[in-house]
Amino acid sequence: MKQVLAFDFGASSGRAMLSRLDAGKLTVTEIHRFSNDPVSVGGTMYWDILRLWYEIKQAFYKLRQSGEQIDAVGIDTWGVDFGLIGQNGKLLANPVHYRDSRTHGIPEEVFGTLPQHEIYRRTGIQTMHFNTLYQLYYLAKYEPELLAETDKILMIPDLFAYFLTGKMRVERTNASTTNFLNPETREWDTDLLDTLGIPTRILPDLIEAGETYGTLTPDLAAEFGLGEVPVIAVCTHDTGSAVAAAPAEGDFAYISCGTWSLFGSELPAPLITDASEEVQYTNEGGYRGTTRFLKNIMGLWLIQESRRQWIREGQNVSYADLEREALEAKPFVSWIDVDDPVFEAAGDLPARVREKCRETGQPVPETRGEVMRCIYQSLAMKYKHNYERLTRMTGVRYPKLHMLGGGIKDTLLCRMTASATGATVYAGPAEATVIGNIAVQMIALGALSSWEEARRVIAASTPLAVYTPEDAAAWERESLRYDALFRKS
């Protein structure tokens, strides 16, 4: 019987989960959970990467205390961000957080050299100012001395794997979020980087999900009380792990619900067309060379940051309180475009929701419940629009919509999504990212024979909640009003 350790890092927290395959079902036990708090210094927002490394080590210490042994380790995190490794093999600086403001306006600078259309056609990736391409362009132009000292760039999960093994590789599903991976060849687009003056010597070799970075260094193996345990490259981008865990067969659409909502489908090959470029659908890498054809949507961040603001104001409100208050508020009063850049930054998000409603001539939500109702229904309406776009672009009418990740605990959002899209929603697993991480490790170790078997095991291990449309006609009517307010959303 194989047993593995999975590290899953989100934008606000992380956890280490111990898993074994027993009687055709995965059992998962949390051994360590911790917060992931960014730190702002001198006007720059950083990831506290050494603190996160400390938490990884704490998980291994707890594992040692438990007396459990493991056969492998896997790590998944968010995408786009990276660490820079110097010629001496050391981390040169704390990785900068994708919500930092340094890349505001950088895509427009890049488009002066290389048109947006060409970049999309070469990479198939949605233009977002914090994509790795624009972060590196910023460094090449404004901090060239830092890149001059850099030997290799490592995405965040690859950076942790380097700390554990001493081996520098970048896993392809996360590499695809950089905006400079060729989606057809699945290799670095070095010509693109050369054109923009970004040194290609800093690019490490690529590794497939399911391959091994290396084993724990002898010093760490001794420190943790373990042998030469392999560190396996899972789908290291958390959405890649989540989609790998979808308990689905045949054609399906999905929403990976977390700080971001990733809405899309799993395709056998990239889909890069005039239509996909117009609506900025992205082609990210998936397990076994598949394509995650999806749209990044501002997700539970809107709810999370609103709650943080109310807590800062002394209102000790829970997510359950907010869901209840939203349900009690009158529906279909006011709308926002959840992808409006004004909602990206931390701070007083409820005030920005009110201001946007005021600017668009709508009733201004005053109470917490009214603000939350506006956010919930605006998210569901955005899902509806992307469901329809996805159907048009792929030519497939998806009868099943799988909602994955922690956001499915929010039953109001699941209900609204079913009603807005008119699709049957299958919610689960809530721990999709970590389960996808575990599944790839188990396949690599031979405990599961195939991805198809893994998905069957996940389905047998995970209870799914099913939501059917309740008031689809009302959502169709309201869609017209939403369209009039936000025609380009």
Side-chain angles (χ1 to χ4, degrees), residues 8 15 238-239 241-243 245-247 254-262 300 304 383 402-411 413-414 426-436 458 462-465 467:
D8 174 43
R15 64 264 181 87
D238 50 10
T239 309
S241 277
V243 175
Y254 61 81
I255 308 175
S256 180
C257 304
T259 300
W260 291 89
S261 289
L262 295 310
L300 299 182
Q304 295 162 350
Y383 296 161
H402 284 266
M403 294 185 72
L404 311 161
I408 69 167
K409 297 173 184 176
D410 198 324
T411 58
L413 183 59
C414 295
Y426 295 82
E431 304 285 1
T433 51
V434 75
I435 289 175
I458 291 166
T462 306
L464 300 182
Y467 300 87

Side-chain angles (χ1 to χ4, degrees), residues 24-322:
K25 292 186 177 182
L26 289 172
T27 60
V28 182
T29 304
E30 179 181 302
I31 64 170
H32 188 48
R33 183 176 288 266
F34 46 92
S35 65
N36 181 5
D37 304 300
V39 178
S40 293
V41 180
T44 299
M45 180 181 286
Y46 299 96
W47 295 105
D48 195 353
I49 207 73
L50 295 184
R51 177 69 195 189
L52 296 180
W53 171 240
Y54 168 85
E55 299 293 356
I56 288 175
K57 297 186 76 173
Q58 292 305 303
F60 277 107
Y61 296 153
K62 289 182 178 181
L63 182 69
R64 181 172 188 170
Q65 291 166 7
S66 73
E68 298 281 359
Q69 291 292 310
I70 54 172
D71 297 288
V73 179
I75 304 168
D76 68 82
T77 78
W78 62 95
V80 307
D81 291 335
F82 54 87
L84 300 174
I85 305 300
Q87 303 292 336
N88 60 1
K90 294 183 179 180
L91 184 65
L92 292 175
N94 266 330
V96 175
H97 196 294
Y98 63 81
R99 291 195 188 275
D100 184 72
S101 62
R102 67 177 179 168
T103 52
H104 290 174
I106 293 297
E108 290 73 20
E109 291 188 31
V110 168
F111 301 154
T113 302
L114 204 58
Q116 182 179 13
H117 168 76
E118 183 176 346
I119 294 174
Y120 182 82
R121 289 294 169 143
R122 290 172 68 157
T123 66
I125 296 296
Q126 175 182 357
T127 301
M128 304 185 83
H129 69 84
F130 49 69
N131 287 352
T132 318
L133 177 67
Y134 305 114
Q135 294 195 49
L136 284 180
Y137 181 86
Y138 172 89
L139 292 178
K141 185 170 182 179
Y142 298 105
E143 296 184 37
E145 67 283 355
L146 188 56
L147 283 187
E149 296 177 22
T150 299
D151 179 37
K152 290 291 181 285
I153 175 177
L154 293 175
M155 307 301 284
I156 299 299
D158 307 300
L159 179 63
F160 289 138
Y162 170 62
F163 289 167
L164 289 170
T165 68
K167 306 296 184 183
M168 289 191 282
R169 305 284 189 276
V170 171
E171 187 274 322
R172 277 189 166 89
T173 68
N174 214 332
S176 70
T177 72
T178 61
N179 215 171
F180 50 84
L181 190 80
N182 183 306
E184 299 288 350
T185 65
R186 301 172 66 241
E187 300 292 342
W188 299 120
D189 189 336
T190 53
D191 289 343
L192 188 155
L193 296 182
D194 285 338
T195 301
L196 296 176
I198 298 169
T200 57
R201 59 175 175 73
I202 67 174
L203 300 177
D205 292 337
L206 293 161
I207 187 172
E208 294 285 356
E211 294 182 348
T212 300
Y213 291 102
T215 59
L216 295 177
T217 65
D219 287 348
L220 287 177
E223 185 178 347
F224 300 151
L226 298 170
E228 295 183 356
V229 174
V231 179
I232 293 174
V234 297
C235 294
T236 61
H237 185 223
D238 50 10
T239 309
S241 277
V243 175
E249 295 181 1
D251 294 324
F252 68 97
Y254 61 81
I255 308 175
S256 180
C257 304
T259 300
W260 291 89
S261 289
L262 295 310
F263 193 112
S265 185
E266 185 178 86
L267 303 181
L271 181 59
I272 304 173
T273 64
D274 291 342
S276 69
E277 181 180 1
E278 181 181 357
V279 297
Q280 286 290 291
Y281 258 64
T282 204
N283 291 263
E284 293 176 355
Y287 187 51
R288 295 285 170 87
T290 55
T291 293
R292 289 178 286 119
F293 184 63
L294 60 85
K295 178 77 169 180
N296 284 274
I297 300 169
M298 201 89 71
L300 299 182
W301 163 259
L302 297 158
I303 296 171
Q304 295 162 350
E305 189 60 19
S306 293
R307 176 174 178 262
R308 280 190 282 267
Q309 178 60 30
W310 284 316
I311 290 173
R312 286 191 287 265
E313 294 173 359
Q315 304 173 50
N316 189 20
V317 61
S318 69
Y319 288 117
D321 293 332
L322 295 178

